[in-house]
Amino acid sequence: MDAQAYFNNLKSQGFDDEDALSHTNRFYPDFSSNPTANVGNHNSWISQNFQRIASECYPDDEGAVFTIADMRNNGQVIEVIAHSNPSIGNDPVRYDFIIINGVPALESTSTPNPDGSWSPFFSTGVSSTPAPTAHIPVVHQTHPPQQQQQQMNQYPPQQQQQQQQMSQYPPQQQQMGQFAAQQQPSMQGQPMQAYGQQGMMMQQPVGVGTRSKIVTFLLGFFLGVFGVHNFYLGKTGLGITQLLITILTFGLGVIITGPWALIESILALVSSNFRDGDGMPLSD
């Protein structure tokens, strides 16, 4: 449930505009009942939530601090370029956000190439409206014991037993249980859908790729000046760059491509974040 749907839900329960907006802003601070007012809040929302979003992209690098260096909005995609400390193995990284139901959602990330272009790092697979965790407003309704007993008698015996069990819990847990019971029938026979929090769907690559750490290290160590290891990894652009530097300088370029390839070879062997051209981790 996004902010607008949450606001509309409160309105349907009888809240006026002011009260519904007040409740909504408790969980969605940037929301405004005027849709056009939300447009300028996207960059602010990303800035406030970026540390959490980037950290969820790299669960193996817990504790890394991500700093936004640049943010551009071209009308369709919000491009965020950020650094990490300590480095996640690729720095900087570009994060592309799209707007879904008025909330920015991370779509993909990219890493820079020496020629200034960007190579896909991984994609979140955002292709449909996400379903962030909904905050259900608690509306306490109290009834005299006699009236409550009369209402329970209207239910079948099985539901009466459920109501009696729920009466043992605090009012907030009672309402959450009622909400789950109302939602359960609508979920029967429907496939589970991926979800995210705050409008973001994070689907990272699962498993490892078919390219080997050992093979990458050996190719980079012995033939790295010609970019052979990058051709093996599927990073054709990097491979061509290293090959041209070595050939066009009649071999003098090895003072650049040699250390470059050696560093990449070592990272491929020891770093858990080193990925191939398809964004997949290398296999052991």
Side-chain angles (χ1 to χ4, degrees), residues 196-258:
Q197 294 186 351
Q198 295 292 345
M200 181 184 68
M201 184 177 295
M202 304 301 301
Q203 296 180 354
Q204 299 188 30
V206 177
V208 296
T210 58
R211 297 178 174 95
S212 168
K213 290 182 178 180
I214 300 298
V215 174
T216 302
F217 173 78
L218 294 176
L219 291 176
F221 187 84
F222 292 104
L223 299 173
V225 295
F226 300 106
V228 175
H229 61 298
N230 277 318
F231 286 111
Y232 169 73
L233 292 172
K235 299 179 179 180
T236 307
L238 287 176
I240 293 176
T241 300
Q242 292 170 331
L243 178 63
L244 292 178
I245 291 176
T246 300
I247 294 178
L248 296 181
T249 60
F250 300 99
L252 296 178
V254 297
I255 62 176
I256 298 175
T257 56

Side-chain angles (χ1 to χ4, degrees), residues 55-178:
S55 298
E56 291 176 355
C57 294
Y58 315 101
D60 295 336
D61 293 275
E62 184 177 357
V65 176
F66 298 87
T67 305
I68 295 178
D70 188 23
M71 186 182 304
R72 301 177 183 177
N73 190 337
N74 62 19
Q76 295 180 340
V77 176
I78 301 177
E79 299 178 354
V80 178
I81 298 177
H83 299 282
S84 60
N85 184 25
S87 175
I88 59 173
N90 294 276
D91 193 56
V93 175
R94 192 185 81 191
Y95 302 79
D96 292 341
F97 289 82
I98 59 175
I99 307 302
I100 298 180
N101 289 336
V103 180
L106 181 62
E107 181 182 40
S108 61
T109 65
S110 306
T111 54
N113 296 321
D115 60 0
S117 62
W118 294 85
S119 295
F121 191 20
F122 67 82
S123 173
T124 64
V126 173
S127 59
S128 60
T129 303
T133 302
H135 299 279
I136 307 303
V138 177
V139 181
H140 298 290
Q141 297 181 356
T142 59
H143 302 280
Q146 182 177 1
Q147 183 178 357
Q148 185 176 12
Q149 183 64 35
Q150 292 175 354
Q151 291 179 349
M152 290 181 59
N153 291 336
Q154 298 175 5
Y155 298 98
Q158 183 177 1
Q159 294 188 17
Q160 291 182 23
Q161 183 178 2
Q162 182 180 5
Q163 291 288 339
Q164 292 173 353
Q165 293 175 351
M166 289 179 58
S167 64
Q168 302 174 6
Y169 298 97
Q172 184 175 1
Q173 295 186 19
Q174 293 180 24
Q175 181 161 350
M176 292 298 293
Q178 293 172 359

